[in-house]
Amino acid sequence: MFDLLQRRLIWVGGKGGVGKTTVSAALAVLAASRGQRCLVVSTDPAHSLGDVFARELDDTPRRLLPNLDAMEIDPDIEVEAHLKRVTEQMRRFAAPEMMKELQRQMQLTRQSPGTQEAALLERIARLINDPDSPYDQIIFDTAPTGHTLRLLTLPEAMAAWTDGLLTHNRKSEELAKVLKHLTPKSGRDVATPFDDPAENALSDLDERTKDIAQTLLKRRRLFMQARRHLEDPKISGFLFVLTPERLPILETVRAVATLKSVGIPVVATLVNRVIPEEADGEFLRRRREQEASWLERIDRELGDLPRPRLPWLETDVQGMETLELIAEKLAEAGF
């Protein structure tokens, strides 16, 4: 037994096509059956969570079972909402004659690299940080590994971007004092640095500079709070799904090492679609022989993590009945 389902935030990742969505959905069914109020969220732009449940899903939670809601975050909707918020904020700071050009820049930003990831991360961060969340547990069905790694390391990129903007501000020395409060593992973590009595030196900032700094720092704080939740092994855990094949093994080994290097707790790997012992026929016998070498490699290269297995099913996965069957197998495997 391991404690993945005792954590509030569960991240299910892996190479495309290994069964992440099926595992995410089955874990949610299992958690809900144990009385956990669970939300399962798809962050993959190529959504298939609704297909697995055989239900229509969108970017608002939908009740599927007692204790179980599901949603698919739409990156395009998140980008539109994000750019609308940015435009409204810029309207407060910019001269009226500049707004036409700013709006044109916002239109161009829609197609900029990283825009969807940034908007998606903001939505995820708000879900993670919500103090009024009705859920005991949130399970994230993430995009393929490369997208997930970029998503999880984006807070550092955003912090560097914020630093760069503020250092070009004419009040950069004063604003640098604000930034130190939001640097991980240093300074005081106050709700707003401008309310901190120890920072009287900031009192001479003009209102426009304060507004700009508050906007930037609020966003940065959102990402840093989310990052702290991600790094806390009592709250968060990552499960990698892979199949006993060469490419998924190689990608999983690399991804596990990368996540560990940035402080993300990896709880287990799940080896999916293992050929059942009762499967017969010469073709499957040969496949099983090849599979045995890959399973041995998984044990060797990922031996420091639990490695439960799920059998290859006779049918496609669609609908609650099949998901409940997989949930039972997950429970038998130690979840």
Side-chain angles (χ1 to χ4, degrees), residues 107-120:
Q107 291 290 335
L108 294 174
T109 300
R110 282 179 173 81
Q111 308 303 323
S112 298
T115 299
Q116 282 197 347
E117 283 91 343
L120 185 62

Side-chain angles (χ1 to χ4, degrees), residues 20-234:
K20 298 184 303 298
T21 299
T22 296
V23 170
S24 300
L27 282 172
V29 170
L30 179 58
S33 72
R34 293 174 175 174
Q36 294 281 89
R37 294 170 299 174
C38 183
L39 172 67
V40 57
V41 181
S42 172
T43 67
D44 190 337
H47 294 300
S48 56
L49 188 62
D51 297 332
V52 169
F53 280 112
R55 301 286 291 274
E56 289 289 331
L57 298 177
D58 56 26
D59 65 341
T60 57
R62 179 175 181 180
R63 179 60 48 89
L64 300 182
L65 286 174
N67 295 322
L68 175 58
D69 291 355
M71 64 184 289
E72 294 177 338
I73 297 178
D74 187 325
D76 292 330
I77 291 176
E78 295 307 315
V79 167
E80 289 298 320
H82 169 66
L83 294 181
K84 182 179 179 181
R85 286 192 295 270
V86 171
T87 301
E88 290 303 311
Q89 290 167 347
M90 294 299 293
R91 197 181 301 276
R92 293 161 46 205
F93 306 138
E97 60 269 19
M98 294 178 61
M99 284 308 302
K100 184 175 181 180
E101 175 61 19
L102 285 172
Q103 289 172 340
R104 188 182 76 85
Q105 293 295 330
M106 289 297 102
Q107 291 290 335
L108 294 174
T109 300
R110 282 179 173 81
Q111 308 303 323
S112 298
T115 299
Q116 282 197 347
E117 283 91 343
L120 185 62
L121 178 63
E122 183 168 345
R123 179 65 181 276
I124 292 172
R126 294 185 189 283
L127 282 171
I128 292 172
N129 296 342
D130 183 4
D132 301 316
S133 173
Y135 301 106
D136 302 313
Q137 195 164 66
I138 304 178
I139 298 174
F140 292 94
D141 168 29
T142 69
T145 306
H147 295 170
T148 300
L149 295 178
R150 287 198 298 275
L151 190 65
L152 295 178
T153 55
L154 193 55
E156 281 81 358
M158 289 300 301
W161 178 80
T162 306
D163 289 349
L165 284 179
L166 295 182
T167 54
H168 286 85
N169 190 286
R170 64 187 177 88
K171 294 287 187 178
S172 60
E173 288 187 14
E174 290 90 340
L175 293 174
K177 298 174 183 177
V178 176
L179 281 175
K180 76 179 184 181
H181 290 269
L182 298 179
T183 301
K185 301 178 182 177
S186 69
R188 293 179 299 283
D189 187 14
V190 293
T192 165
F194 296 104
D195 294 334
D196 186 358
E199 293 299 326
N200 293 327
L202 300 179
S203 60
D204 64 342
L205 288 175
D206 61 80
E207 288 305 312
R208 182 176 179 277
T209 302
K210 278 189 178 182
D211 283 345
I212 294 172
Q214 286 277 30
T215 299
L216 294 173
L217 293 170
K218 183 178 179 181
R219 184 169 173 80
R220 178 170 171 177
R221 181 180 177 78
L222 175 73
F223 292 142
M224 288 303 181
Q225 283 181 327
R227 181 58 190 254
R228 283 195 289 273
H229 289 312
L230 283 170
E231 291 176 333
D232 188 343
K234 295 179 181 178

Side-chain angles (χ1 to χ4, degrees), residues 270-289:
L270 177 67
V271 187
N272 195 25
R273 299 180 190 148
V274 177
I275 299 173
E277 287 297 325
E278 63 272 18
D280 55 12
E282 182 63 17
F283 174 80
L284 287 177
R285 184 189 67 78
R286 292 182 180 179
R287 290 285 303 180
R288 189 182 290 110
E289 288 177 356

